[in-house]
Amino acid sequence: MRQKKKTKRNIPPDPVYDNVTIAKFINQVMRRGEKTIARKIVYRTFDIIKEKTKKDPLEIFDLALKNAAPLLEVKPRRIGGATYQVPREVRGERRLTLAIRWIIQAAKSRKGRPMREKLAEELIAASNNTGAAIKKKINMHRMAEANRAFAHFAW
């Protein structure tokens, strides 16, 4: 028997920028339920972005998420005795989630500075189509392209 459908939770927008995407980003940065610390990190990140680029940090943030969001992904599909990596199109909500996740992971993997600085550098790099998050997206697209022969197995 199938499980019941998951209900989508409605995330309220963040208090400073009144933006739902930033609220989701803060929730991903948050560790051990300490949302105030996560908010400080993200808002200070935006201050650093404003200092470095002299542009609106929201524009940089949106551009970084847009650039890091994948169009295609591969999903394993078992057919007969073999498992094929089947390329699939990524839907909107998952695209945003993957982009946020990759940017935060790339920032965490940088060493030696506070998280707000690492996150600011990664967001600026992603907005310029460089950085580890963009590299991850390109690798995923490359895998999907390499496995294009199995696209007819998509369900």
Side-chain angles (χ1 to χ4, degrees):
M1 193 167 112
R2 290 178 180 248
Q3 294 179 355
K4 67 177 185 178
K5 283 265 192 189
K6 290 182 184 168
T7 55
K8 284 264 189 241
R9 281 190 292 158
N10 195 12
I11 297 174
D14 77 299
V16 175
Y17 292 95
D18 199 41
N19 190 325
V20 175
T21 311
I22 293 175
K24 288 181 183 180
F25 193 75
I26 288 169
N27 287 344
Q28 287 286 329
V29 170
M30 178 172 54
R31 303 183 79 181
R32 293 191 299 264
E34 306 224 354
K35 190 172 248 181
T36 53
I37 292 172
R39 279 191 181 139
K40 282 180 191 172
I41 290 170
V42 172
Y43 296 148
R44 287 182 183 160
T45 296
F46 284 177
D47 293 341
I48 292 169
I49 289 172
K50 194 170 191 172
E51 282 176 26
K52 285 187 176 181
T53 63
K54 305 284 190 271
K55 292 180 184 171
D56 181 29
L58 266 180
E59 287 178 21
I60 301 287
F61 177 74
D62 288 337
L63 185 61
L65 287 182
K66 193 177 129 237
N67 288 346
L71 299 170
L72 297 170
E73 68 178 339
V74 289
K75 287 232 174 169
R77 177 104 196 260
R78 190 166 170 84
I79 294 162
T83 304
Y84 299 106
Q85 295 290 332
V86 180
R88 302 196 61 197
E89 184 184 331
V90 183
R91 298 280 172 215
E93 189 70 26
R94 182 160 167 77
R95 288 183 69 191
L96 179 68
T97 305
L98 285 173
I100 289 172
R101 187 181 303 159
W102 291 347
I103 288 172
I104 292 170
Q105 280 176 352
K108 283 181 182 175
S109 67
R110 293 179 178 224
K111 296 286 179 218
R113 285 190 307 288
M115 183 62 179
R116 59 182 175 265
E117 291 176 19
K118 297 188 290 187
L119 202 53
E121 286 178 12
E122 193 57 44
L123 282 169
I124 291 168
S127 69
N128 294 330
N129 263 333
T130 57
I134 300 297
K135 198 175 284 184
K136 191 149 186 162
K137 171 192 165 184
I138 290 169
N139 284 342
M140 185 174 275
H141 282 189
R142 196 175 290 137
M143 277 187 60
E145 191 65 31
N147 289 296
R148 203 171 65 196
F150 306 123
H152 65 282
F153 288 133
W155 61 102

